[in-house]
Amino acid sequence: MEITIKIFGLKEQRIIRDSWLTSTGIESETELAVTKHHVIDFNNEFDAMKFIAETDCDFEHGFEIIKTFKK
């Protein structure tokens, strides 16, 4: 069985929910949402944890780690 450790960075983004035209121009309704961005895959947990510990990046909400199994 093949194991893959997937690393995702979590980032906050402003998302436009709705927009409309007014007499003064275009207005919009927005909200903040945390989105996942795939960063890298590893074959073992040690390398994945080492990558997270040594990485200085701009993911303000940290990382999500997903372990997948494949036959």
Side-chain angles (χ1 to χ4, degrees):
M1 183 178 307
E2 183 180 333
I3 296 173
T4 303
I5 312 295
K6 295 183 174 290
I7 306 293
F8 293 89
L10 303 175
K11 212 174 207 185
E12 192 171 87
Q13 292 184 322
R14 186 170 301 277
I15 296 174
I16 298 173
R17 290 183 42 91
D18 194 12
S19 61
W20 59 92
L21 183 61
T22 66
S23 59
T24 59
I26 297 175
E27 294 191 21
S28 63
E29 179 183 333
T30 62
E31 69 179 32
L32 293 176
V34 176
T35 57
K36 293 190 322 187
H37 302 269
H38 183 256
V39 179
I40 195 167
D41 292 342
F42 290 99
N43 293 330
N44 62 62
E45 293 176 15
F46 178 78
D47 290 339
M49 294 301 179
K50 185 177 175 186
F51 171 80
I52 290 173
E54 294 175 350
T55 299
D56 182 28
C57 66
D58 63 344
F59 294 113
E60 62 265 13
H61 291 281
F63 292 95
E64 182 174 337
I65 304 167
I66 298 177
K67 190 175 191 177
T68 62
F69 302 92
K70 184 178 181 183
K71 280 187 173 183

